[in-house]
Amino acid sequence: MISINCKPYEGFYRKNVLYKINDACTVSFREEHETGKLERVNLVYDLEHHQYGLFAHEFRNPVVRKEGCKTADVLACVVDETQKKIHTIIFDVKSDISAFSDDLLRNESLLTAIKNVKKFICQIHDEILHKNGFMLYYSDEGFSEEETIGIVTESFEKEKFAAAADLLEQLLSDKNILISELTDLKLKNNLRPYAREVECLRDFSEEKVTISGRLYDLQIFLLEKISEQESAALIKVAL
């Protein structure tokens, strides 16, 4: 098999570098904000004999330009050379994914919900393409791959995304008698480019996402509060 170009993991990592993990360990992904808030995701690599792990933060296929190209926070894999199986986990940290107002007609809350989901799906879509850039070499050797798509967040209020899907569909089809004609027209003009996002919002509320025509289950990893400034989640990376 053609060897994948990756570096040995030695306890630290840089962006856009694919690392190989030879022994069971925990990789701690950290996302720090200007406010001092810290979100930490502990990736527990549970490796058995003839298995190794792969890890990358914001991995991008080296053949593509950075401009116009998105990445996800983490790409993690376990490779079993004996069984020729791979489990891939791709996730992004969106701590405030449900933080928009319950009043979807206030402060562009509906548009915020639409953009949050759209951006997440775009990141996952592009990351799968980046990953497939080297995964094809495993596939050529007869490896099978199982993919897990996830989001790490403080709260996942599925009913808010369902309500956003319902309202978007209503605004783009019927005249809303609860708001003025002027406001209704302005909303429709602003939202018309997002007409196709109704189904995306509805799927998201059911913990599903469609990437390149394939429907994936969306795994929700909830951050637990450790202190006023820190929250953490644990994800097991194993076959």
Side-chain angles (χ1 to χ4, degrees), residues 14-82:
R14 293 184 290 110
K15 288 183 180 180
N16 198 26
V17 177
L18 187 63
Y19 292 93
K20 184 177 182 180
I21 299 170
N22 291 310
D23 300 303
C25 70
T26 297
V27 178
S28 184
F29 168 75
R30 298 160 58 91
E31 191 165 273
E32 299 183 55
H33 301 270
E34 294 180 357
T35 58
K37 188 175 180 180
L38 170 66
E39 292 146 359
R40 179 164 42 86
V41 182
N42 293 319
L43 291 155
V44 180
Y45 281 81
D46 186 9
L47 302 177
E48 298 180 0
H49 194 48
H50 297 303
Q51 293 181 351
Y52 62 87
L54 298 173
F55 171 84
H57 168 40
E58 294 187 5
F59 178 75
R60 184 180 73 255
N61 191 322
V63 303
V64 300
R65 298 181 64 178
K66 185 176 181 180
E67 294 77 11
C69 168
K70 296 186 183 300
T71 59
D73 282 329
V74 169
L75 165 66
C77 306
V78 170
V79 181
D80 190 307
E81 295 182 303
T82 301

Side-chain angles (χ1 to χ4, degrees), residues 49-151:
H49 194 48
H50 297 303
Q51 293 181 351
Y52 62 87
L54 298 173
F55 171 84
H57 168 40
E58 294 187 5
F59 178 75
R60 184 180 73 255
N61 191 322
V63 303
V64 300
R65 298 181 64 178
K66 185 176 181 180
E67 294 77 11
C69 168
K70 296 186 183 300
T71 59
D73 282 329
V74 169
L75 165 66
C77 306
V78 170
V79 181
D80 190 307
E81 295 182 303
T82 301
Q83 300 183 60
K84 288 196 170 183
K85 291 183 178 181
I86 300 173
H87 180 205
T88 298
I89 300 175
I90 296 174
F91 71 80
D92 204 80
V93 179
K94 301 285 188 190
S95 59
D96 58 353
I97 193 73
S98 300
F100 53 91
S101 173
D102 290 346
D103 183 353
L104 292 168
L105 294 174
R106 182 181 179 187
N107 298 328
E108 296 191 331
S109 291
L110 177 56
L111 194 56
T112 297
I114 295 168
K115 289 183 176 180
N116 284 350
V117 173
K118 184 178 176 66
K119 180 180 178 182
F120 172 76
I121 292 175
C122 285
Q123 287 178 281
I124 300 301
H125 169 269
D126 287 5
E127 192 64 50
I128 288 175
L129 293 180
H130 301 321
K131 179 264 300 179
N132 287 347
F134 68 80
M135 197 60 69
L136 62 89
Y137 296 105
Y138 287 102
S139 178
D140 186 62
E141 291 292 324
F143 281 78
S144 61
E145 182 192 11
E146 176 189 352
E147 293 173 300
T148 295
I149 303 304
I151 185 169

